[in-house]
Structure formats: structure tokens, C-alpha cells
Amino acid sequence: RKIPVFSADEFRQHVQAVGGTLEDRTGNTDWQDELTRTAITNDHNLVFQGGSENFNYRASLGYLDQEGIVINTGIKRYSGRIGATQKLLDGRVNIDFNLSTTVESGENAQQGTLVSQMLEFNPTYPARDADGNPVNYPDLMNPLIGAELYNDFRESRRTLVNIAPSLEIIEGLVYKMNLGYDNISSDVDNQSMPNTD
């Protein structure tokens, strides 16, 4: 839902009404429309499962591609999971195995700055020229250009392995051991590109 702000004509009227100095560049820009979008999310999951009396398994693959509402933002996630249970010695010994891995990457074009700019930037400044390219102002930066020049890329990876064998020593008394391995890593790449215009 859009936040109500002055249109370009309303901005002109209110600046003059309070005796302010209006810098009017003859534009009629809705910066919320320029800096946001209708975001699309794709979420796909594939599951395999099966087994027999003494062995069963379940495996899944997932893919998520989620655009951010603010331009040049969003995340992608790839995930996989395998789980299996093996029964031995007429069910007295059970071995549970689980493996999951996730890779998530995302970009964030200074989202907080863009939100502030879409609410505060002068609506009489034109956003784009006749060819549809962002206008390059001589005295300050067009938020559309800033969104392209400043990016924050992140990627995180996690792998989790768990093995849990159990032994029924006597009826009602079960010994269970839980072995696990958890590895997490991440990278961050902040980019500030030069404005060559």
C-alpha cells in the first residue's frame, strides 16, 4: 500500500502557500512508483519418498526466487534435504540419518535510503528523459541512478548432518546417541560503483 505524499501539483501549491522557495524542474514524478515494483515470488518444491518395512527415506529439493518490492532487491534460496531410517535386529536397532543444505543469496540496493528518497524527493524533478533513461541531475543524484550504483550482495550457506543410532537394551529401555555436524558460512560484497555520467 502506497504512503500518501504530495503530488507534484500539490507540492507546488503547498510550498508557495507557506512562503517557501520552490525549485521546480517541471516534472510530475511519483517516486514511489519509480522506486518500487510489483514483486513476484517463485517457490518450487519437489519431494521423493519411499521405502520398505525396515527402511524408509524422504528427500526434497526447494527453490525460492523472491523479488523485493523496492527495485534491485530480492533473495534466492536453494535447499535440499535427505532423511532416512534403517531398522535392524527386528527393530531393536534404529539408525536415523538427516542431511540438509541451504544456499541463500540476496541483493539490497540501499533499501533504507531508497525508501527515504521515495517519500522525500522533490516530485517536480523528472525521473526519466524522453528515451526512458534516468535523468542525470547536475547538482544531486537521481535515486534511480543511485539504486544501480550502490549494491549489497550477500550469500550464506548452511549444511547440517545428524546421525542418531538407538538400541533397545530391554523392553522400555532405549539408549540413543545423537551425532551432529553444523557448518555455516557467509560472504558479503558491498559495491559502490563510480558514476561516469
Side-chain angles (χ1 to χ4, degrees):
R1 186 173 57 182
K2 293 176 66 174
I3 296 174
V5 295
F6 290 149
S7 66
D9 289 338
E10 291 171 336
F11 184 78
R12 293 181 179 102
Q13 294 171 5
H14 282 82
V15 169
Q16 294 173 356
V18 298
T21 302
L22 175 63
E23 185 174 354
D24 191 340
R25 298 191 180 182
T26 70
N28 185 20
T29 303
D30 185 330
W31 287 105
Q32 291 184 75
D33 285 346
E34 293 291 338
L35 298 172
T36 62
R37 61 186 173 185
T38 299
I40 298 173
T41 298
N42 288 295
D43 191 2
H44 304 280
N45 293 280
L46 185 62
V47 177
F48 306 91
Q49 61 183 5
S52 61
E53 182 180 352
N54 293 317
F55 176 77
N56 61 74
Y57 69 89
R58 178 183 174 90
S60 64
L61 296 172
Y63 169 70
L64 173 69
D65 183 359
Q66 181 175 346
E67 293 180 341
I69 295 174
V70 177
I71 62 172
N72 298 338
T73 63
I75 63 169
K76 290 185 178 180
R77 181 186 304 125
Y78 304 88
S79 60
R81 180 183 297 270
I82 299 174
T85 300
Q86 175 70 62
K87 296 181 180 181
L88 303 168
L89 301 177
D90 296 326
R92 291 186 58 202
V93 175
N94 291 314
I95 301 174
D96 295 321
F97 172 80
N98 288 284
L99 167 65
S100 64
T101 184
T102 303
V103 178
E104 182 174 296
S105 60
E107 61 176 334
N108 182 357
Q110 290 194 329
Q111 183 171 327
T113 300
L114 291 179
V115 170
S116 297
Q117 289 176 330
M118 73 177 66
L119 300 178
E120 299 172 358
F121 217 75
N122 188 332
T124 70
Y125 283 29
R128 300 177 186 274
D129 61 23
D131 296 325
N133 300 313
V135 174
N136 192 16
Y137 310 128
D139 54 344
L140 74 167
M141 183 172 291
N142 186 329
L144 290 170
I145 296 176
E148 296 292 337
L149 296 179
Y150 306 114
N151 278 293
D152 178 6
F153 298 95
R154 298 174 181 269
E155 182 176 280
S156 61
R157 300 161 295 276
R158 183 177 187 183
T159 299
L160 180 62
V161 182
N162 179 262
I163 300 175
S166 62
L167 169 64
E168 184 179 38
I169 301 172
I170 60 174
E171 185 175 353
L173 178 61
V174 177
Y175 172 80
K176 185 171 185 177
M177 181 168 56
N178 198 337
L179 303 172
Y181 170 78
D182 191 0
N183 181 273
I184 301 173
S185 61
S186 62
D187 296 306
V188 177
D189 181 13
N190 294 306
Q191 296 183 358
S192 296
M193 306 299 291
N195 186 3
T196 57
D197 293 330

Short mmCIF file of all heavy atoms in Angstrom, two decimals, residues 137-179:
data_model
loop_
_atom_site.label_atom_id
_atom_site.label_comp_id
_atom_site.label_asym_id
_atom_site.label_seq_id
_atom_site.Cartn_x
_atom_site.Cartn_y
_atom_site.Cartn_z
N TYR A 137 20.95 14.61 -12.92
CA TYR A 137 20.91 15.99 -12.45
C TYR A 137 22.33 16.53 -12.27
O TYR A 137 23.23 15.81 -11.86
CB TYR A 137 20.16 16.08 -11.12
CG TYR A 137 18.81 15.40 -11.09
CD1 TYR A 137 18.51 14.48 -10.09
CD2 TYR A 137 17.85 15.66 -12.06
CE1 TYR A 137 17.27 13.85 -10.05
CE2 TYR A 137 16.62 15.04 -12.03
CZ TYR A 137 16.34 14.13 -11.03
OH TYR A 137 15.13 13.50 -10.99
N PRO A 138 22.54 17.83 -12.53
CA PRO A 138 23.89 18.39 -12.38
C PRO A 138 24.31 18.60 -10.92
O PRO A 138 25.51 18.68 -10.62
CB PRO A 138 23.79 19.73 -13.11
CG PRO A 138 22.34 20.10 -13.03
CD PRO A 138 21.59 18.79 -13.07
N ASP A 139 23.35 18.68 -9.99
CA ASP A 139 23.68 19.06 -8.63
C ASP A 139 23.39 18.00 -7.57
O ASP A 139 23.77 18.17 -6.41
CB ASP A 139 22.93 20.35 -8.25
CG ASP A 139 21.42 20.21 -8.49
OD1 ASP A 139 21.01 19.27 -9.21
OD2 ASP A 139 20.65 21.04 -7.96
N LEU A 140 22.72 16.94 -7.93
CA LEU A 140 22.46 15.85 -6.98
C LEU A 140 22.15 14.58 -7.77
O LEU A 140 22.00 14.62 -8.99
CB LEU A 140 21.31 16.19 -6.03
CG LEU A 140 19.88 16.15 -6.56
CD1 LEU A 140 18.91 16.21 -5.38
CD2 LEU A 140 19.59 17.31 -7.49
N MET A 141 22.08 13.45 -7.05
CA MET A 141 21.94 12.18 -7.74
C MET A 141 20.48 11.73 -7.80
O MET A 141 19.77 11.74 -6.79
CB MET A 141 22.77 11.09 -7.05
CG MET A 141 22.71 9.74 -7.76
SD MET A 141 23.84 8.53 -7.10
CE MET A 141 25.40 9.25 -7.61
N ASN A 142 20.07 11.36 -8.99
CA ASN A 142 18.77 10.75 -9.20
C ASN A 142 18.72 9.42 -8.44
O ASN A 142 19.62 8.59 -8.59
CB ASN A 142 18.57 10.52 -10.71
CG ASN A 142 17.19 10.01 -11.06
OD1 ASN A 142 16.54 9.32 -10.29
ND2 ASN A 142 16.74 10.36 -12.26
N PRO A 143 17.71 9.19 -7.60
CA PRO A 143 17.64 7.92 -6.86
C PRO A 143 17.67 6.68 -7.75
O PRO A 143 18.17 5.63 -7.33
CB PRO A 143 16.30 8.02 -6.12
CG PRO A 143 16.05 9.48 -5.98
CD PRO A 143 16.61 10.11 -7.22
N LEU A 144 17.17 6.78 -8.98
CA LEU A 144 17.22 5.64 -9.89
C LEU A 144 18.66 5.29 -10.25
O LEU A 144 19.01 4.11 -10.41
CB LEU A 144 16.43 5.95 -11.17
CG LEU A 144 14.91 6.02 -11.01
CD1 LEU A 144 14.28 6.57 -12.28
CD2 LEU A 144 14.35 4.65 -10.67
N ILE A 145 19.51 6.30 -10.40
CA ILE A 145 20.93 6.06 -10.68
C ILE A 145 21.62 5.50 -9.44
O ILE A 145 22.41 4.55 -9.51
CB ILE A 145 21.62 7.35 -11.16
CG1 ILE A 145 21.00 7.80 -12.49
CG2 ILE A 145 23.12 7.14 -11.29
CD1 ILE A 145 21.54 9.12 -13.01
N GLY A 146 21.29 6.07 -8.28
CA GLY A 146 21.88 5.57 -7.03
C GLY A 146 21.56 4.11 -6.78
O GLY A 146 22.39 3.36 -6.28
N ALA A 147 20.36 3.70 -7.16
CA ALA A 147 19.96 2.30 -6.95
C ALA A 147 20.81 1.35 -7.78
O ALA A 147 21.00 0.19 -7.40
CB ALA A 147 18.49 2.12 -7.30
N GLU A 148 21.33 1.83 -8.92
CA GLU A 148 22.17 0.99 -9.76
C GLU A 148 23.63 1.01 -9.30
O GLU A 148 24.37 0.05 -9.52
CB GLU A 148 22.10 1.47 -11.22
CG GLU A 148 20.73 1.34 -11.84
CD GLU A 148 20.31 -0.10 -12.06
OE1 GLU A 148 21.20 -0.97 -12.14
OE2 GLU A 148 19.10 -0.37 -12.12
N LEU A 149 24.06 2.11 -8.69
CA LEU A 149 25.47 2.26 -8.35
C LEU A 149 25.85 1.61 -7.02
O LEU A 149 26.99 1.20 -6.84
CB LEU A 149 25.84 3.75 -8.29
CG LEU A 149 25.73 4.52 -9.60
CD1 LEU A 149 26.11 5.98 -9.39
CD2 LEU A 149 26.63 3.90 -10.67
N TYR A 150 24.91 1.52 -6.08
CA TYR A 150 25.22 1.01 -4.75
C TYR A 150 24.47 -0.31 -4.52
O TYR A 150 23.25 -0.36 -4.59
CB TYR A 150 24.82 2.02 -3.67
CG TYR A 150 25.42 3.39 -3.89
CD1 TYR A 150 24.61 4.48 -4.19
CD2 TYR A 150 26.80 3.57 -3.81
CE1 TYR A 150 25.16 5.73 -4.40
CE2 TYR A 150 27.34 4.83 -4.03
CZ TYR A 150 26.54 5.90 -4.32
OH TYR A 150 27.08 7.14 -4.54
N ASN A 151 25.22 -1.36 -4.28
CA ASN A 151 24.62 -2.67 -4.07
C ASN A 151 25.29 -3.39 -2.91
O ASN A 151 26.47 -3.21 -2.63
CB ASN A 151 24.73 -3.53 -5.33
CG ASN A 151 23.65 -3.21 -6.34
OD1 ASN A 151 22.48 -3.45 -6.10
ND2 ASN A 151 24.04 -2.65 -7.47
N ASP A 152 24.50 -4.21 -2.27
CA ASP A 152 24.95 -5.02 -1.13
C ASP A 152 24.56 -6.46 -1.44
O ASP A 152 23.39 -6.82 -1.35
CB ASP A 152 24.28 -4.52 0.15
CG ASP A 152 24.67 -5.35 1.37
OD1 ASP A 152 25.53 -6.23 1.25
OD2 ASP A 152 24.08 -5.11 2.44
N PHE A 153 25.54 -7.28 -1.85
CA PHE A 153 25.28 -8.67 -2.19
C PHE A 153 25.67 -9.56 -1.01
O PHE A 153 26.73 -9.39 -0.42
CB PHE A 153 26.08 -9.09 -3.42
CG PHE A 153 25.73 -8.32 -4.66
CD1 PHE A 153 26.46 -7.21 -5.04
CD2 PHE A 153 24.65 -8.70 -5.45
CE1 PHE A 153 26.14 -6.50 -6.18
CE2 PHE A 153 24.32 -7.99 -6.59
CZ PHE A 153 25.07 -6.88 -6.96
N ARG A 154 24.81 -10.51 -0.69
CA ARG A 154 25.07 -11.41 0.42
C ARG A 154 24.79 -12.85 0.01
O ARG A 154 23.84 -13.10 -0.73
CB ARG A 154 24.20 -11.06 1.64
CG ARG A 154 24.46 -9.68 2.19
CD ARG A 154 23.49 -9.29 3.29
NE ARG A 154 23.75 -7.93 3.77
CZ ARG A 154 24.56 -7.65 4.77
NH1 ARG A 154 25.17 -8.63 5.43
NH2 ARG A 154 24.75 -6.40 5.14
N GLU A 155 25.61 -13.76 0.51
CA GLU A 155 25.34 -15.18 0.28
C GLU A 155 25.69 -15.94 1.56
O GLU A 155 26.74 -15.72 2.16
CB GLU A 155 26.16 -15.74 -0.87
CG GLU A 155 25.88 -17.21 -1.15
CD GLU A 155 26.62 -17.76 -2.35
OE1 GLU A 155 26.16 -17.52 -3.48
OE2 GLU A 155 27.67 -18.40 -2.16
N SER A 156 24.80 -16.81 1.97
CA SER A 156 25.04 -17.64 3.16
C SER A 156 24.78 -19.10 2.80
O SER A 156 23.93 -19.41 1.97
CB SER A 156 24.13 -17.21 4.32
OG SER A 156 22.77 -17.37 3.98
N ARG A 157 25.55 -19.97 3.43
CA ARG A 157 25.46 -21.40 3.18
C ARG A 157 25.41 -22.14 4.51
O ARG A 157 26.14 -21.80 5.44
CB ARG A 157 26.67 -21.89 2.37
CG ARG A 157 26.80 -21.20 1.01
CD ARG A 157 28.18 -21.32 0.43
NE ARG A 157 29.18 -20.62 1.22
CZ ARG A 157 29.44 -19.33 1.12
NH1 ARG A 157 28.76 -18.59 0.25
NH2 ARG A 157 30.35 -18.75 1.87
N ARG A 158 24.56 -23.16 4.58
CA ARG A 158 24.48 -23.96 5.80
C ARG A 158 24.29 -25.43 5.43
O ARG A 158 23.46 -25.78 4.60
CB ARG A 158 23.33 -23.51 6.68
CG ARG A 158 23.27 -24.29 8.00
CD ARG A 158 22.18 -23.81 8.92
NE ARG A 158 22.28 -24.47 10.22
CZ ARG A 158 21.43 -24.29 11.22
NH1 ARG A 158 20.40 -23.48 11.07
NH2 ARG A 158 21.60 -24.92 12.37
N THR A 159 25.08 -26.28 6.07
CA THR A 159 24.94 -27.73 5.92
C THR A 159 24.82 -28.34 7.31
O THR A 159 25.64 -28.06 8.20
CB THR A 159 26.15 -28.34 5.20
OG1 THR A 159 26.25 -27.76 3.88
CG2 THR A 159 26.01 -29.85 5.06
N LEU A 160 23.80 -29.15 7.50
CA LEU A 160 23.52 -29.78 8.79
C LEU A 160 23.37 -31.28 8.59
O LEU A 160 22.56 -31.73 7.78
CB LEU A 160 22.25 -29.20 9.40
CG LEU A 160 21.80 -29.74 10.75
CD1 LEU A 160 22.83 -29.46 11.83
CD2 LEU A 160 20.45 -29.13 11.14
N VAL A 161 24.20 -32.05 9.32
CA VAL A 161 24.15 -33.51 9.24
C VAL A 161 23.87 -34.05 10.64
O VAL A 161 24.47 -33.60 11.62
CB VAL A 161 25.47 -34.11 8.72
CG1 VAL A 161 25.38 -35.62 8.60
CG2 VAL A 161 25.84 -33.50 7.37
N ASN A 162 22.98 -35.03 10.71
CA ASN A 162 22.63 -35.61 12.01
C ASN A 162 22.46 -37.12 11.85
O ASN A 162 21.75 -37.58 10.96
CB ASN A 162 21.33 -34.98 12.52
CG ASN A 162 20.89 -35.56 13.85
OD1 ASN A 162 20.05 -36.44 13.89
ND2 ASN A 162 21.48 -35.08 14.93
N ILE A 163 23.15 -37.87 12.71
CA ILE A 163 23.01 -39.33 12.75
C ILE A 163 22.64 -39.71 14.17
O ILE A 163 23.32 -39.31 15.13
CB ILE A 163 24.30 -40.04 12.32
CG1 ILE A 163 24.69 -39.65 10.90
CG2 ILE A 163 24.14 -41.57 12.41
CD1 ILE A 163 26.02 -40.22 10.46
N ALA A 164 21.57 -40.49 14.33
CA ALA A 164 21.09 -40.84 15.66
C ALA A 164 20.80 -42.34 15.73
O ALA A 164 19.67 -42.77 15.42
CB ALA A 164 19.85 -40.03 16.01
N PRO A 165 21.79 -43.15 16.11
CA PRO A 165 21.51 -44.58 16.31
C PRO A 165 20.90 -44.83 17.70
O PRO A 165 21.21 -44.12 18.66
CB PRO A 165 22.91 -45.21 16.22
CG PRO A 165 23.85 -44.12 16.62
CD PRO A 165 23.20 -42.82 16.24
N SER A 166 20.03 -45.81 17.77
CA SER A 166 19.43 -46.14 19.06
C SER A 166 19.35 -47.66 19.21
O SER A 166 19.23 -48.40 18.22
CB SER A 166 18.02 -45.53 19.18
OG SER A 166 17.16 -46.05 18.19
N LEU A 167 19.44 -48.11 20.47
CA LEU A 167 19.42 -49.55 20.78
C LEU A 167 18.44 -49.79 21.92
O LEU A 167 18.54 -49.15 22.98
CB LEU A 167 20.83 -50.02 21.18
CG LEU A 167 20.93 -51.42 21.78
CD1 LEU A 167 20.53 -52.49 20.76
CD2 LEU A 167 22.34 -51.67 22.31
N GLU A 168 17.51 -50.70 21.70
CA GLU A 168 16.60 -51.10 22.77
C GLU A 168 17.29 -52.19 23.59
O GLU A 168 17.43 -53.33 23.16
CB GLU A 168 15.28 -51.62 22.20
CG GLU A 168 14.27 -51.95 23.30
CD GLU A 168 12.95 -52.45 22.73
OE1 GLU A 168 12.99 -53.19 21.72
OE2 GLU A 168 11.90 -52.12 23.29
N ILE A 169 17.76 -51.82 24.78
CA ILE A 169 18.51 -52.75 25.62
C ILE A 169 17.57 -53.81 26.19
O ILE A 169 17.81 -55.02 26.08
CB ILE A 169 19.24 -51.99 26.75
CG1 ILE A 169 20.20 -50.96 26.13
CG2 ILE A 169 19.97 -52.95 27.67
CD1 ILE A 169 20.84 -50.03 27.12
N ILE A 170 16.52 -53.36 26.80
CA ILE A 170 15.42 -54.23 27.23
C ILE A 170 14.13 -53.50 26.90
O ILE A 170 14.16 -52.30 26.59
CB ILE A 170 15.50 -54.58 28.74
CG1 ILE A 170 15.44 -53.29 29.58
CG2 ILE A 170 16.74 -55.41 29.07
CD1 ILE A 170 15.37 -53.55 31.08
N GLU A 171 13.03 -54.16 27.00
CA GLU A 171 11.76 -53.52 26.66
C GLU A 171 11.51 -52.31 27.56
O GLU A 171 11.56 -52.40 28.79
CB GLU A 171 10.60 -54.51 26.81
CG GLU A 171 9.28 -53.94 26.35
CD GLU A 171 8.16 -54.96 26.40
OE1 GLU A 171 8.44 -56.15 26.66
OE2 GLU A 171 7.00 -54.56 26.19
N GLY A 172 11.32 -51.15 26.92
CA GLY A 172 11.08 -49.92 27.66
C GLY A 172 12.34 -49.14 27.99
O GLY A 172 12.25 -48.03 28.50
N LEU A 173 13.53 -49.71 27.71
CA LEU A 173 14.80 -49.01 27.98
C LEU A 173 15.57 -48.91 26.67
O LEU A 173 16.02 -49.92 26.13
CB LEU A 173 15.62 -49.76 29.03
CG LEU A 173 16.99 -49.13 29.35
CD1 LEU A 173 16.82 -47.71 29.92
CD2 LEU A 173 17.77 -50.02 30.33
N VAL A 174 15.72 -47.68 26.18
CA VAL A 174 16.37 -47.44 24.89
C VAL A 174 17.54 -46.48 25.11
O VAL A 174 17.40 -45.44 25.76
CB VAL A 174 15.38 -46.83 23.87
CG1 VAL A 174 16.09 -46.51 22.56
CG2 VAL A 174 14.21 -47.79 23.62
N TYR A 175 18.67 -46.87 24.56
CA TYR A 175 19.85 -46.00 24.56
C TYR A 175 19.95 -45.33 23.18
O TYR A 175 19.92 -46.02 22.15
CB TYR A 175 21.12 -46.80 24.84
CG TYR A 175 22.38 -45.98 24.66
CD1 TYR A 175 22.81 -45.12 25.66
CD2 TYR A 175 23.13 -46.08 23.49
CE1 TYR A 175 23.97 -44.37 25.50
CE2 TYR A 175 24.28 -45.32 23.32
CZ TYR A 175 24.69 -44.47 24.33
OH TYR A 175 25.82 -43.72 24.17
N LYS A 176 20.05 -44.02 23.17
CA LYS A 176 20.11 -43.30 21.90
C LYS A 176 21.27 -42.32 21.91
O LYS A 176 21.46 -41.58 22.88
CB LYS A 176 18.80 -42.55 21.63
CG LYS A 176 18.75 -41.87 20.27
CD LYS A 176 17.35 -41.32 19.98
CE LYS A 176 17.29 -40.76 18.57
NZ LYS A 176 15.94 -40.29 18.22
N MET A 177 22.05 -42.34 20.85
CA MET A 177 23.17 -41.42 20.70
C MET A 177 22.86 -40.47 19.54
O MET A 177 22.29 -40.88 18.52
CB MET A 177 24.46 -42.20 20.40
CG MET A 177 25.68 -41.32 20.25
SD MET A 177 27.22 -42.27 20.23
CE MET A 177 26.91 -43.39 18.87
N ASN A 178 23.22 -39.21 19.72
CA ASN A 178 22.92 -38.20 18.71
C ASN A 178 24.22 -37.52 18.29
O ASN A 178 24.89 -36.87 19.10
CB ASN A 178 21.94 -37.17 19.28
CG ASN A 178 21.25 -36.37 18.20
OD1 ASN A 178 21.75 -36.26 17.10
ND2 ASN A 178 20.10 -35.81 18.53
N LEU A 179 24.60 -37.69 17.02
CA LEU A 179 25.81 -37.09 16.48
C LEU A 179 25.41 -36.06 15.43
O LEU A 179 24.59 -36.34 14.55
CB LEU A 179 26.70 -38.14 15.83
CG LEU A 179 27.14 -39.31 16.73
CD1 LEU A 179 27.85 -40.37 15.90
CD2 LEU A 179 28.02 -38.81 17.86
#
